[in-house]
Amino acid sequence: MSNIGVTVITGSLRKESFSRKMGRALAGLPAPGLTFSILEIGDLPHYNEDYEVDPPAAFTRFRSAIAASEALLFVTPEFNRGMPGVLKNAIDVGSRPWGKSVWNGKTAGVISMSTGPIGGFGAHHALRQSLMSVNVAVMPHPEAYIGNSPSLFDGDGTLIDRSCADFVTGFLTSFRTWIEKQRSETRS
Ligand SMILES: Cc1cc2nc3c(=O)[nH]c(=O)nc-3n(C[C@H](O)[C@H](O)[C@H](O)COP(=O)(O)O)c2cc1C
């Protein structure tokens, strides 16, 4: 079984972010044939269509990285019942110039997280809505809403909660199947 490279995009920029810790922890799980690399989005300027005359280097770098990605996995917190602005900005940057969206036809999964019990439900569905609009095939099921994030990691950022690790491993197993299904549908 050949490895599939998954580009991980986290919706939080802070150093001790639980979403970022989860993004890093993915590589340590017994995921079936997936490798992970985190793509940073913190250096993207706010989207401004005027920039398209001579796009900032960060736009070009980001667009190229998404275009080259085999699959995408979003790990995001919830900000005020929606997705963080940096994440929405990244989606907007990738979606332009008109007719050249690098999201078109990509395959993705979404994991939302929160410090409370609700697991970022609002962010999760706001993100799905935007991804649908740019024609990204988001895995419908299983859904990953992960709550109580501070209790899941030790001081080094290791994912120590066994039931969460098992859940995310199952999620990744389904994600691998989802990616292969999308690939075979694209070929046929
Ligand atoms: C601006 C802001 C808005 C937030 N809004 C929500 C929210 O709507 N729902 C929620 O569960 N947590 C909310 N939180 C708390 C986050 O879940 C918490 O700060 C989390 O640790 C942020 O993710 P991170 O650890 O990946 O940085 C908010 C935090 C910030 C900074």
Side-chain angles (χ1 to χ4, degrees):
M1 183 164 66
S2 65
N3 271 331
I4 296 172
V6 177
T7 299
V8 178
I9 300 174
T10 65
S12 174
L13 304 182
R14 71 186 187 97
K15 276 202 298 291
E16 294 299 317
S17 156
F18 297 114
S19 311
R20 184 175 290 272
K21 285 176 182 171
M22 180 60 79
R24 290 205 185 105
L26 298 172
L29 297 172
L34 300 175
T35 57
F36 302 93
S37 58
I38 293 182
L39 177 61
E40 299 296 339
I41 59 174
D43 64 340
L44 292 173
H46 286 166
Y47 186 72
N48 178 340
E49 204 158 13
D50 293 343
Y51 293 163
E52 296 302 352
V53 180
D54 182 17
F59 280 17
T60 307
R61 173 195 61 80
F62 179 75
R63 288 167 175 165
S64 301
I66 297 297
S69 295
E70 293 183 277
L72 308 168
L73 182 55
F74 295 85
V75 186
T76 188
E78 177 172 272
F79 280 5
N80 300 313
R81 297 286 180 260
M83 81 177 97
V86 284
L87 191 48
K88 179 61 165 57
N89 187 51
I91 292 171
D92 295 342
V93 169
S95 72
R96 286 297 194 270
W98 171 252
K100 293 189 177 164
S101 169
V102 289
W103 301 115
N104 191 32
K106 293 290 176 185
T107 301
V110 173
I111 297 174
S112 59
M113 300 183 67
S114 73
T115 47
I118 301 175
F121 181 89
H124 192 115
H125 286 276
L127 176 55
R128 278 181 187 265
Q129 181 175 327
S130 285
L131 292 174
M132 296 281 279
S133 83
V134 293
N135 195 29
V136 172
V138 183
M139 181 170 72
H141 207 268
E143 299 161 282
Y145 310 105
I146 298 177
N148 304 311
S149 49
S151 67
L152 307 176
F153 303 91
D154 68 12
D156 297 326
T158 305
L159 180 59
I160 51 167
D161 186 287
R162 185 45 40 208
S163 83
C164 179
D166 289 347
F167 171 76
V168 176
T169 300
F171 175 90
L172 294 174
T173 303
S174 298
F175 188 43
R176 163 97 202 190
T177 304
W178 174 249
I179 297 166
E180 286 176 337
K181 183 163 177 272
Q182 294 308 305
R183 284 182 169 182
S184 66
E185 284 182 8
T186 307
R187 277 195 294 269
S188 61

